Each structure stands twice: as C-alpha cells, then as structure tokens.
Amino acid sequence: MRMMIIAEFFLVILKVLWAFVTAGAKWIVRPKEKSVAGQVCVITGAGSGLGRLFAKEFARRRAVLVLWDINSQSNEETAEMVREIYRELDSPMPKDGTVGGVGEVPPFQPQVYTYVCDVGKRESVYMTAEKVRREVGEVDILINNAGVVSGHHLLECPDELIERTLVVNCHAHFWVSRK
C-alpha cells in the first residue's frame, strides 16, 4: 500500500513538471493565430466598453463585423471607429505595385453592419438574427458580450433591475446562441 502511495506521489510530481515544461514551451513558441479575415463576426453590446474594444480588434484582423446594441447612436459610433480602422488598413499601395518585393495584395472589402437589438427580448434577438442571415449571411464567430451591470447591492436593487439583469446576463446567452 505504501509503495502505491509513493508511486502515485511521484506520478503527480512528474505530471506537474510536465505541465510546467509544456506551458513554458507554448510561451516561447507561440501557436499560430487563427485568421478571422473575411469571417462574419457578430458582437453583441458593441456600442461601448468591451464590445467596442472587441469590434476594433476584429476590424484590425479584417473580419466582417455585425454590431448589435440596444443604443443605435453608440453602435454607429463604434461602426465609424471600425470604418476608420478599415480605411487605415486599405491605405494605397506604391505605384509599382510591390512592397518589399511582395506583389500587390487583393483589395480588402471592409464591411460593417449595425443592428439595434435588445438581447433581453427573445423576439428582438430572433428577428435580428434572421435579418442578419438574410442581409449578411451565416455567422462564423459570435462574441456574446452584451450585459447589464447595476452597480447596486443586491438588496438595494429594484425588482425590475434584478429581472433585467437576469434576462440580459443569463437568458439572452441562450437566445443569441440558438439563432
């Protein structure tokens, strides 16, 4: 019995050491990033905060962006930031058509679409998803980022805010993921 415990102890030690070695190797030799260029990416809650940051990063990586937010004005502001990134990416090439000996890259067709969607309302999610499918195509990537933060202690929140928080932060993930 004692030998089994000692053997298991050394086995655990070896597994931990192996995990450190593989983690170190991944840190030194980075895996190749997945290209999202041209893929349709839906970002919920894109009008501000993390959603806006996600949109800008996916724009730099040349994804076709579909931005959902409950606030049309902030959603359009994010879309304009994305268009500016697209313009920077699509800057003109030198006259001879080469950059450092590399031939001209085919022109990039930047695309960003904005939709007003209240992810807390199932019908709004379903209608917007169908509209996206018709107007843009099938979705490749979903960044389900929309959320409600009350900033209050639980016992100080009005019932309506608690319900809204649960619907948007929990139920909406199922509705968006299904469509």
Side-chain angles (χ1 to χ4, degrees), residues 8-177:
E8 284 188 36
F9 176 76
F10 282 113
L11 184 61
V12 168
I13 295 294
L14 284 173
K15 286 182 177 182
V16 168
L17 289 174
W18 181 250
F20 277 113
V21 168
T22 56
K26 288 180 182 175
W27 185 64
I28 294 169
V29 181
R30 302 254 182 213
K32 183 181 176 196
E33 288 187 11
K34 176 185 175 186
S35 173
V36 296
Q39 292 190 337
V40 176
C41 176
V42 171
I43 302 174
T44 65
S48 62
L50 283 174
R52 182 171 281 175
L53 294 174
F54 280 128
K56 291 163 71 174
E57 188 59 35
F58 275 86
R60 287 184 195 96
R61 295 166 189 260
R62 299 175 178 250
V64 174
L65 292 178
V66 179
L67 309 178
W68 288 14
D69 202 276
I70 195 169
N71 184 325
S72 65
Q73 182 179 353
S74 62
N75 206 23
E76 286 299 329
E77 289 171 5
T78 301
E80 191 50 44
M81 292 176 190
V82 164
R83 288 181 190 104
E84 182 59 35
I85 291 170
Y86 284 156
R87 282 190 285 275
E88 290 171 8
L89 291 174
D90 201 28
S91 59
M93 303 283 289
K95 297 267 188 214
D96 67 357
T98 62
V99 175
V102 178
E104 187 174 343
V105 178
F108 171 56
Q109 299 297 321
Q111 296 173 343
V112 60
Y113 303 87
T114 59
Y115 296 89
V116 174
C117 181
D118 182 354
V119 296
K121 296 182 179 172
R122 181 179 45 222
E123 296 78 21
S124 177
V125 170
Y126 291 172
M127 284 181 5
T128 306
E130 185 56 39
K131 199 172 180 183
V132 167
R133 200 172 288 112
R134 276 192 325 268
E135 295 175 4
V136 183
E138 291 299 318
V139 174
D140 299 305
I141 301 168
L142 169 62
I143 307 296
N144 207 351
N145 169 73
V148 172
V149 179
S150 69
H152 296 92
H153 292 288
L154 180 64
L155 298 177
E156 297 171 1
C157 283
D159 292 345
E160 296 80 24
L161 185 56
I162 291 172
E163 289 175 357
R164 177 79 179 152
T165 301
L166 287 174
V167 167
V168 172
N169 295 356
C170 182
H171 300 164
H173 290 288
F174 294 99
W175 301 331
V176 174
S177 298

